[in-house]
Amino acid sequence: MTTVHAGRVELDCDLLIIGGGAAGCVAAVEAKELDPSLRVIVMEKAHVYRSGCLAAGISALNAYLTPGETAESFLRYAIRETVGVVRDDLTLSMAHELNAQVKRVEDWGLPIPRDEQGHPLKRGRASIKIFGERIKPILGKRAEASGAQILNRINATGLAMRDGRVVGAYGFGVRDGRFYEVRAKCVLIATGGAAGIYRPSNPGMAAHRMWYSPFNTGAGLAMGIRAGAEMTSFEFRFIPLRIKDAIAPTGEIAQWLGAKQINSLGEPYLEKYYEHLGGKRMLTQDRLYATLMECRAGRGPCYLDLRGVNPRKLDGTITSYLSMAPSAAMIMSDEAYYARAGGEMAPVEITGGEPHVVGGHGLSGFWIDEQRRTTLPGLWAAGDVAGGTPKKYASGAWAEAVIAIRDMVEQARARPAAVIEPEEAKTEEARVYAPADAPGGVPAREVEERLQKVMDEYAGGIGVQYGYAEGGLRLARLHLSRLAHELAALSAESPYELMHCHEVIDRVDVAETLVAHMTHRKETRWHCYQERLDFPERDDARYMLFVNSVKGPDGTIRVIERPIVRAEIDVVLPALEDGAMIRGARTRADDPS
Amino acid sequence: MAIFVDEHVCNRCGTAEEPMCVRDCPGDLMFIKANDKASITDNRECWDCAACVKVCPTQAIHMQLPTSLVVRGVTLKGRALKHKTTWSIRLRDGEEKTYETPSTGKPPFTPSL
Ligand SMILES: Cc1cc2nc3c(=O)[nH]c(=O)nc-3n(C[C@H](O)[C@H](O)[C@H](O)COP(=O)(O)OP(=O)(O)OC[C@H]3O[C@@H](n4cnc5c(N)ncnc54)[C@H](O)[C@@H]3O)c2cc1C
């Protein structure tokens, strides 16, 4: 067995990219294209060929300006979906980059089907179809060929700081156990969001059959929190509405096969929640909320209606799932088989998954400026780890990476080589390997289970159907703080186990900040995502703002409110009645008359 | 989730270098046992991405849904070729269904729906 703590490695570079996923790979290529003389290092905990969210592949790019759409129309859509709380500057600058970055990755070999006019096939107003099974190897190989140095299987643990500036990062080899100290003039954090904060929707052997990548454990967020970076909107959690058990996206069936969401009485139910708004006003979160309400009213479970769909048409859907969520393909294939054998296609049950902290779907992450600079000088953020812009997805992560890199390249040219404080490096090395010196201590899995139980029960997990209130949050804070003792007793007997220890250490840091944000926003703005049972109304007068936070050196989390700066754009916010009408629909439907 | 390695088929990619499933697993779950066969550290950790399934040059790896997800007896194999990936899903009663997904390069023409 490899020694857990096996020597150290020191490296120097101009640009360090932490996380070689969607954002990180494109960032590396952009940097080397802008200036081939720059030394660029990518630090990746897995291998860039199949790491992160894109490991299985994806079947669509969900941020794209389809014909007729503009950056402004994209922003209007984002403002509506987040009920006003969004960074217009970030959203606009991202939107302007989207199509160029998609074209670029297409040129690298990503198959994008196009129509007779040469436009990518549209799946939604901001979404196009792709054949993305091989998307991650395409990005990874391109990053490898760019001339950037790729450090695979290095788990980043901390930012190196000197005089208030980020001057590099620390990590350890998950295979070789070595400590890495990488000095850099500019650092991009691109480690994705955080899964595994909450109890997953599937049990035991299937626990990792969750929506988000279980290997994205919020490392970058935690590194930023520990270094005092300002974070935004953690309380905007993302909860996917998914095909039950497989936790695969419903859009594939809903959009391609035109299947409606129906309740267990066979009634389409979305319409009744928004008919008064003239039809298509359903926000993403409300599709989930409406599903939950149907269940609460005794009309659940809910389904996607596949009755009447020609089973042969399903082959296209199964093929799509193979490129993205293979287990869903297995389940669908099995169902379709029975339909062919003479039975009727069973409706596909849908349900909410577990909550995640993920800036590419929601708003949570580093507070950044238009150049994607974080509040820590020397550190930029892109992709799921960056906050303020929803609806980013893969193509938006590429756009953000490119925007950040342009600024980083400029700055790196003018900066002297970075110097790391030896004292700080020593302290981090001791922190990283502490679990190696605690034989017989607590295994990471137990602490992870404790964290997930606390968050699920007190902070609005799937087990309590996402709602929460101050009383529970208080207990969440208490029990999270008590976890410090367990974290100090973590034990690892291999570098691989050491990785699990740091994953849970990082998750607890993310969870603490999350609970601080959830505590502060005393209204309900985003159903299910942010559902305060003690403050069920939306309060625009008080909370049309960003909830941000900074963790101080003494460990206290200071909450900061930041105003919304609206671009010059005419936009109609979802009416306050949207939420009220949902409750109205419930009342109406429950009314026996 | 669960992936299984057929030890009669796995030849550790016929190389002394790092086998491809060991290289590609996003959770670092694959390793080579003392008998030179690939294996998974812990099936509970698997995300079900099928990266190892597709990259295996001898198709020694297949995926199964865990019993806790109720669908039993359905298995998946795949093979990444240059421009496409071929798949086969074995249904509960043993029937085999095959599929193909384009993977790199210019896609086949797909009519809009
Ligand atoms: C199941 C699923 C389906 C999706 N489908 C679509 C879709 O159809 N269309 C679409 O546009 N978007 C889709 N998305 C969203 C898209 O995948 C993400 O928005 C995008 O990948 C975010 O890019 P990123 O670089 O921020 O994160 P990732 O691509 O996940 O990259 C993060 C990288 O950081 C690495 N990392 C993490 N921690 C550390 C550490 N401590 N040290 C070093 N490296 C680390 C990870 O291994 C990974 O390589 C989907 C996401 C999921 C989860």
Side-chain angles (χ1 to χ4, degrees):
Chain A
M1 191 178 278
T2 322
T3 339
V4 188
H5 191 173
R8 61 201 320 280
V9 180
E10 290 180 29
L11 295 165
D12 264 296
C13 65
D14 296 298
L15 304 188
L16 170 62
I17 296 161
I18 308 176
C25 286
V26 168
V29 177
E30 175 75 6
K32 290 303 278 185
E33 281 183 6
L34 284 178
D35 188 344
S37 72
L38 288 178
R39 291 163 306 163
V40 178
I41 290 183
V42 178
M43 194 190 253
E44 166 56 52
K45 83 188 265 195
H47 189 291
V48 291
Y49 286 0
R50 284 283 177 189
S51 62
C53 289
L54 301 180
I58 52 176
S59 63
L61 290 173
N62 294 329
Y64 187 85
L65 304 182
T66 56
E69 299 295 330
T70 60
E72 287 69 26
S73 68
F74 189 93
L75 173 60
R76 270 186 218 108
Y77 150 70
I79 292 175
R80 256 186 50 75
E81 286 273 319
T82 56
V83 197
V85 180
V86 68
R87 281 281 298 275
D88 293 16
D89 55 343
L90 300 182
T91 308
L92 283 173
S93 58
M94 171 192 77
H96 282 298
E97 281 295 335
L98 289 172
N99 292 19
Q101 297 314 319
V102 169
K103 180 70 180 56
R104 180 187 212 177
V105 177
E106 181 180 21
D107 290 343
W108 295 351
L110 176 69
I112 301 184
R114 289 176 179 273
D115 65 16
E116 295 79 353
Q117 283 82 46
H119 298 303
L121 294 191
K122 198 167 148 174
R123 265 186 37 145
R125 56 185 285 203
S127 171
I128 58 169
K129 169 138 188 83
I130 62 167
F131 295 109
E133 183 275 309
R134 211 73 60 82
I135 190 167
K136 194 67 222 295
I138 290 170
L139 295 172
K141 286 182 181 167
R142 198 71 193 194
E144 222 175 40
S146 72
Q149 183 185 355
I150 313 280
L151 301 179
N152 289 312
R153 304 286 172 200
I154 310 298
N155 189 94
T157 57
L159 297 167
M161 302 288 295
R162 188 161 187 264
D163 300 331
R165 188 182 165 92
V166 175
V167 289
Y170 306 106
F172 66 94
V174 303
R175 295 258 179 92
D176 66 16
R178 292 191 292 179
F179 184 67
Y180 281 74
E181 172 185 320
V182 183
R183 299 181 277 263
K185 293 176 182 170
C186 301
V187 179
L188 176 69
I189 192 95
T191 48
I197 305 285
Y198 283 87
R199 180 154 47 202
S201 37
N202 282 318
M205 288 303 294
H208 272 188
R209 175 84 302 271
M210 56 175 66
W211 169 70
Y212 204 63
S213 165
F215 315 119
N216 279 0
T217 55
L221 296 169
M223 287 160 62
I225 290 168
R226 290 193 289 264
E230 186 168 330
M231 296 288 159
T232 190
S233 306
F234 272 38
E235 76 279 13
F236 188 115
R237 307 172 299 166
F238 179 73
I239 302 165
L241 176 67
R242 287 297 180 261
I243 292 171
K244 190 158 173 299
D245 297 342
I247 315 294
T250 50
E252 206 53 51
I253 299 180
Q255 286 172 328
W256 281 99
L257 300 180
K260 278 194 170 314
Q261 286 182 218
I262 53 169
N263 61 24
S264 64
L265 306 178
E267 309 159 344
Y269 59 87
L270 287 181
E271 282 78 0
K272 73 179 174 217
Y273 289 95
Y274 62 96
E275 61 194 1
H276 56 285
L277 297 168
K280 301 187 190 306
R281 294 288 307 268
M282 205 72 175
L283 306 178
T284 308
Q285 54 266 35
D286 290 342
R287 288 174 186 280
L288 171 61
Y289 186 63
T291 305
L292 214 70
M293 298 311 283
E294 286 298 293
C295 293
R296 279 190 202 156
R299 296 184 291 268
C302 294
Y303 301 90
L304 281 171
D305 191 4
L306 288 184
R307 293 169 306 176
V309 168
N310 178 352
R312 299 216 164 273
K313 264 187 98 174
L314 270 176
D315 277 348
T317 304
I318 291 169
T319 318
S320 259
Y321 278 132
L322 283 168
S323 307
M324 155 187 63
S327 54
M330 294 163 78
I331 291 173
M332 297 295 295
S333 202
D334 200 46
E335 294 288 355
Y337 172 81
Y338 284 98
R340 267 192 207 99
E344 194 166 60
M345 254 326 274
V348 178
E349 191 180 342
I350 52 176
T351 182
E354 59 286 309
H356 300 268
V357 176
V358 45
H361 279 63
L363 288 171
S364 54
F366 279 86
W367 183 247
I368 51 178
D369 71 8
E370 212 178 313
Q371 273 67 48
R372 273 57 185 175
R373 296 175 190 161
T374 70
T375 55
L376 301 177
L379 184 72
W380 285 251
D384 282 357
V385 83
T389 325
K391 310 277 164 199
K392 232 185 301 194
Y393 309 107
S395 33
W398 302 337
E400 274 201 335
V402 164
I403 295 169
I405 286 291
R406 285 180 193 143
D407 190 46
M408 291 169 71
V409 166
E410 282 297 306
Q411 284 211 15
R413 284 192 181 128
R415 285 200 67 81
V419 177
I420 284 184
E421 298 286 358
E423 273 310 305
E424 189 199 61
K426 237 197 249 159
T427 309
E428 176 69 357
E429 191 170 356
R431 185 187 77 90
V432 166
Y433 292 100
D437 303 324
V442 187
R445 189 191 297 276
E446 277 186 32
V447 185
E448 183 180 311
E449 282 175 3
R450 177 67 188 149
L451 165 71
Q452 292 176 349
K453 180 172 157 63
V454 167
M455 293 302 288
D456 185 68
E457 292 168 0
Y458 301 130
I462 189 171
V464 296
Q465 305 209 318
Y466 314 125
Y468 53 91
E470 175 52 30
L473 293 175
R474 195 183 309 127
L475 288 180
R477 291 194 294 273
L478 173 72
H479 292 298
L480 287 179
S481 71
R482 285 183 180 166
L483 272 181
H485 299 284
E486 272 64 38
L487 294 177
L490 281 171
S491 166
E493 291 181 6
S494 66
Y496 174 75
E497 283 182 16
L498 188 64
M499 176 173 78
H500 281 303
C501 292
H502 284 283
E503 288 174 345
V504 73
I505 290 171
D506 291 342
R507 281 173 167 143
V508 170
D509 279 333
V510 172
E512 279 179 344
T513 290
L514 170 58
V515 171
H517 283 241
M518 294 167 83
T519 303
H520 192 80
R521 189 177 284 281
K522 294 182 177 56
E523 61 156 357
T524 293
R525 181 158 299 265
W526 309 289
H527 278 303
C528 297
Y529 299 175
Q530 189 266 330
E531 185 87 47
R532 289 276 318 220
L533 300 173
D534 46 353
F535 296 97
E537 306 294 331
R538 187 175 117 198
D539 183 355
D540 279 348
R542 174 68 184 84
Y543 286 108
M544 184 62 95
L545 45 74
F546 290 98
V547 175
N548 287 9
S549 71
V550 172
K551 188 169 179 173
D554 64 347
T556 52
I557 298 170
R558 184 167 54 95
V559 172
I560 305 162
E561 295 182 353
R562 299 261 180 224
I564 287 157
V565 181
R566 194 92 302 150
E568 283 185 25
I569 184 167
D570 57 306
V571 59
V572 190
L573 276 190
L576 254 179
E577 310 84 75
D578 274 25
M581 284 301 174
I582 286 215
R583 277 186 292 279
R586 178 181 53 176
T587 321
R588 272 206 308 283
D590 284 346
D591 187 352
S593 65
Chain B
M1 297 308 294
I3 63 107
F4 297 89
V5 179
D6 183 342
E7 296 206 355
H8 300 294
V9 182
C10 170
N11 65 353
R12 64 162 300 158
C13 301
T15 164
E17 314 275 289
E18 183 179 54
M20 288 189 273
C21 59
V22 178
R23 181 195 65 193
D24 282 4
C25 175
D28 200 16
L29 301 175
M30 301 303 291
F31 71 106
I32 298 295
K33 293 195 295 189
N35 67 357
D36 254 4
K37 304 294 177 190
S39 183
I40 184 161
T41 313
D42 184 348
N43 259 324
R44 280 179 299 184
E45 298 285 330
C46 174
W47 189 33
D48 169 36
C49 72
C52 58
V53 170
K54 293 177 283 195
V55 81
C56 176
T58 55
Q59 289 189 268
I61 308 180
H62 76 264
M63 198 168 95
Q64 254 179 51
L65 297 172
T67 309
S68 47
L69 296 191
V70 188
V71 183
R72 276 172 297 169
V74 185
T75 63
L76 174 77
K77 282 192 177 192
R79 177 83 182 98
L81 304 170
K82 191 155 193 285
H83 294 298
K84 64 179 182 190
T85 303
T86 57
W87 304 86
S88 86
I89 299 179
R90 203 179 47 117
L91 301 169
R92 273 180 261 190
D93 58 0
E95 192 191 325
E96 199 120 325
K97 293 274 305 155
T98 56
Y99 301 94
E100 270 186 25
T101 51
S103 290
T104 58
K106 212 174 144 43
F109 180 74
T110 320
S112 27
L113 289 183

